[in-house]
Structures are given as structure tokens and as C-alpha cells.
Amino acid sequence: MKYLLGADFGTTSLKMCLFEENGKLMVSESAQYNLITEGEYVEFPAEEFYNVFISVLNKITCKYRVDAMSIDTQGETLIVLDKDNKPLTNAIIWLDNRATKQAKEIEEKFTVKGIYELTGQAEIPAGYPAPKILWLKENKPEVYERAKHYLLLEDYIIYRLTGKFAASRSLYSSSLLMNIKTGEYIPEMLDYLGIKEGQLSTLYESGEYIGEYNGIKVMTSALDQIAGITGAGVVNTGIMSETTGTALAVSVLTDKLPVWRENLTVSAYYVKKGLYCLLMWAPTAGATLEWFKKNFCENEDYIKLNELAESVPKGSEGLICIPHLCGTVMPANNSEVKGVFFGATLKHSKGHFVRAIMESIAYTIKEYADYISADITEIRSMGGGAKSDLWCRIKAEVLDKKVITLKQNETACLGSAIFAGIGAGVFADTISATERVVKTAKTYTADTDEYSVLYGEYKEKEKNIIKIYG
């Protein structure tokens, strides 16, 4: 029996899980940390990332044997090392927006279309590594001149563990430094930034052996979103994942990079050569329900709210919710759009409002699925929304697809453990691995096509409402 550790380095927390090779969870540990924020600057001491990692790892290794491990991380966080491989600055977190001017300069040089065709990224945010490097060049020349290595978080942890500069191609999807089709660095971008390929980590596929730490084999993992869908069993085309947490994330795999078109907002991320993940998201999903509960149903728990919504007919008897309490990002980026409840009458109760919120998120998922025109056979449902049988049924009926929930909630850690197992020779590939270790919980199917009409009516009303309130 091999014991495989998956670590998931999020924005403000680290989660680490140890699994048997059959997918059974042995133990999990976690740690929280606070970012340093000042205006548009968002930072964290790079050394502390490693210290947090070792602290959590030691809690597991003092009691359990670990044969192999893999670490997925947040994307776009930049760490700069000097000639002695010591951090020159705090890590610049992906949320940091200091490089807005430099992002615009890159857009003017390469164009959004050019960047998309090279990297799969449909936008050029300030938080991406390439603009940050350009910012250092223009604003911190003393750091830029002393920089020997530019790393992201996964390769920094791998370096500290093994002494080797190595990273997954998946993680570098949103760096603007890597060609998504070839999986290699982009010479024109490096020239524009004034850096050499030798200052960057060697790129590997997910699940490749890099080295060892205290007898534990260390493998490459992936961007945290890719690790998460891998641990959910989304490893081939035809399966979509949706995570209804505070925000909404929808992912689907494709073997064809969508052709560029004006106003394209969906970015593609590298999974492996010839396989890409299309990722869409909305800033509010479960947050809309949480907001309603906090402000109008403080005496009810979520179980009670589900019971109230269960008794309400499909379509919430004409009450609709526009759930954009923080604007929209996709398919159209519009920070001015507001949230709206429309069609309320004296017959509408708390249950109507709850069901209308649930339906609006299901409609958003369908809108995303239609926008990317993916041939989907089933949906893997994750996040807090997956705990609601009613919400899962609504999603299945709105999309007319099977919705499947999972027994293991820590899908990112499981995904990284799968990559660890591939590198250790436990699994041949992600498909055979997920067939073995990903366990499904419940399956929901559509028993009516009533929502096909309701969805059309909703979209028409939403369009008109956004014209008025957006």
C-alpha cells in the first residue's frame, strides 16, 4: 500500500491530505495565514509559505508514512530570488494590482487576440506574472537587476524541498510566459520583459517525478483549479464541473482551443498537451443565498431554507432573482450590473426567494455551458451547494444533464495525490486513477423539461432588467 499526500496551497490557507492508494482519506491537516495588504499591494513573505508547508507536513509525517507528494497552488503569485536563491522581496500575490500600467503595455505590444492565441488567456490582468516582472523592471530596477530566478509558488516549494527549479505547465497557464499549445516558454515575451529562460523553472507535465524530501518522492502537480477538477474525476472531455461556493466556478475540458472572437471572456488553461480546461466564474453564487439568509432569515438554518424552497413550484411562481450582487465577469464583464428580485407579489414567501436564488445560479451555469458550446454528458457538483438535494435537482433539470456529487470534498488535495501517485508509478494516468479513487455520492437526473421554457423566459426578463438596472 502506497500513501500519497496531496497539498492544496490556497490564497489564505494550506490544506494537506494523506490518502491510501485506493483513495481512502487517512488524515488531513491545515493552516491559515494572513496576507499583507496596502492599497493595491498584496504580499506575503515567501519564506513563510515554506515554513507553513513544513509545519503542516510535520504534523502528518510524525504519525504516518508518506511515500509521495504533490503540491497544487494558487496561480500567478510571483517570487523573486537572488543569486543565493534567497527571496528579494515578499511574494507578490495574485490579487496584487500594482502592475495595471504594465498589463496595458503588454496588451498594446501583443494585443489581447495575440495573447490569447499564444497563451489561451482572454484577458491581461495586472496580477499575472508577466506584468509584475515588467513592473519590477520599471519601478524596482535594483530588484530586477539582482533577480536570478522568477518563480511561482509551486516551483518555490519544490525548490525548497528538492533543490531543483521545476514546475507544472498547468500552473504556468496564466503566467503569460508559456505557449499553451507547445507547453514551452514564449521567446518574444521573455525578450520583451528582458529576462532569460534560465531565470525560469523547467516545465514538466503534471505528475512527473522531480526529486525527494526526507525520503518522500516529490512530483509536479497543477494549478489549484486543475487539481480540483482532477480530484472530482473531470479528466476527459464531456464532463463538466461546477463549484457553488461563495463564488461560482464552472470548468470543462476540451481538446480544441476555441477560436478567438471579439469580446471573448473565457480563458483556457493547460491540462496536458492537446487538452485544455475552459474556466468560467461568477463572483457571487452561494454568497447570494448567504446574504439573503443573513439579512432576512437569521433565525433559519440552511436545512430549514431548503425545506421552505422545496414546497415552492418550479419557476418560483414568477419570482426571479438576478444574482449579480457584485456585477458580472462572464460572459460579459460589467461591474455596474446589480442584483435584483423581480416579480414579487403578496403570495411570495421566504421559500420563493430561496428557490429563486437557487434557480438563478442554475441558470447561470446553463448560460456558461451554452456559451462555450461544450458537448457535456454529466456534471460533477462541488462546494457547499452540492450539499442541497434540491439545488442539485434544480441544476439537473435546468441543464437536462446528470448531476453527480462526490464522497470526497477535498478534491484539490485528492487531485494532487493522484499526480503524486502517477509520478510514483501507482497509477498509469489520470483516467485510470480517477476510476479507482474518485467515489461518487448521489446522482440527480431531470424528470421534466419544464425548465426549458422557464429558462427562456428568465433570460428574456434578465436582459430587460439589466438594461434598466445595469
Side-chain angles (χ1 to χ4, degrees), residues 242-452:
E242 68 84 11
T243 304
T244 302
T246 300
L248 171 70
V250 175
S251 301
V252 65
L253 300 187
T254 178
D255 54 9
K256 295 181 178 65
L257 195 65
V259 176
W260 164 261
R261 61 184 185 272
E262 288 296 330
N263 300 317
L264 178 69
T265 55
V266 181
S267 292
Y269 294 80
Y270 187 98
V271 179
K272 62 182 181 180
K273 196 163 186 179
L275 188 63
Y276 313 102
C277 174
L278 304 181
L279 175 62
M280 302 189 71
W281 68 283
T284 53
T288 305
L289 183 59
E290 182 181 3
W291 166 84
F292 183 78
K293 177 184 180 300
K294 177 182 177 181
N295 289 284
F296 304 103
C297 307
E298 62 269 25
N299 295 324
E300 283 91 1
D301 59 19
Y302 286 109
I303 294 174
K304 180 61 176 178
L305 293 182
N306 270 269
E307 291 175 355
L308 293 173
E310 187 85 57
S311 64
V312 173
K314 294 178 178 66
S316 303
E317 295 192 292
L319 179 67
I320 70 170
C321 169
I322 309 299
H324 310 315
L325 273 64
C326 293
T328 62
V329 178
M330 299 175 179
N333 190 337
N334 187 348
S335 61
E336 299 302 314
V337 172
K338 305 297 189 294
V340 177
F341 284 98
F342 177 80
T345 68
L346 291 175
K347 70 181 176 183
H348 290 115
S349 64
K350 289 179 182 178
H352 288 85
F353 281 84
V354 173
R355 186 173 188 117
I357 292 170
M358 291 179 170
E359 289 174 337
S360 73
I361 302 306
Y363 293 150
T364 301
I365 297 170
K366 178 169 172 54
E367 179 184 20
Y368 288 179
D370 291 347
Y371 181 77
I372 58 181
S373 302
D375 185 14
I376 300 163
T377 57
E378 68 178 59
I379 300 164
R380 299 292 173 100
S381 185
M382 299 177 284
K387 299 176 182 178
S388 167
D389 287 338
L390 173 61
W391 213 342
C392 290
R393 287 202 310 274
I394 290 172
K395 292 170 184 175
E397 292 180 357
V398 167
L399 284 100
D400 193 24
K401 306 291 182 186
K402 287 191 299 184
V403 170
I404 297 172
T405 60
L406 305 163
K407 290 184 178 179
Q408 179 52 254
N409 294 323
E410 301 297 343
T411 57
C413 288
L414 180 57
S416 280
I418 287 170
F419 292 131
I422 290 172
V426 177
F427 312 122
D429 51 35
T430 54
I431 294 175
S432 60
T434 54
E435 289 174 349
R436 183 172 168 186
V437 306
V438 176
K439 313 297 184 184
T440 61
K442 295 181 180 180
T443 299
Y444 304 84
T445 56
D447 58 6
T448 174
D449 62 355
E450 192 173 348
Y451 272 113
S452 63

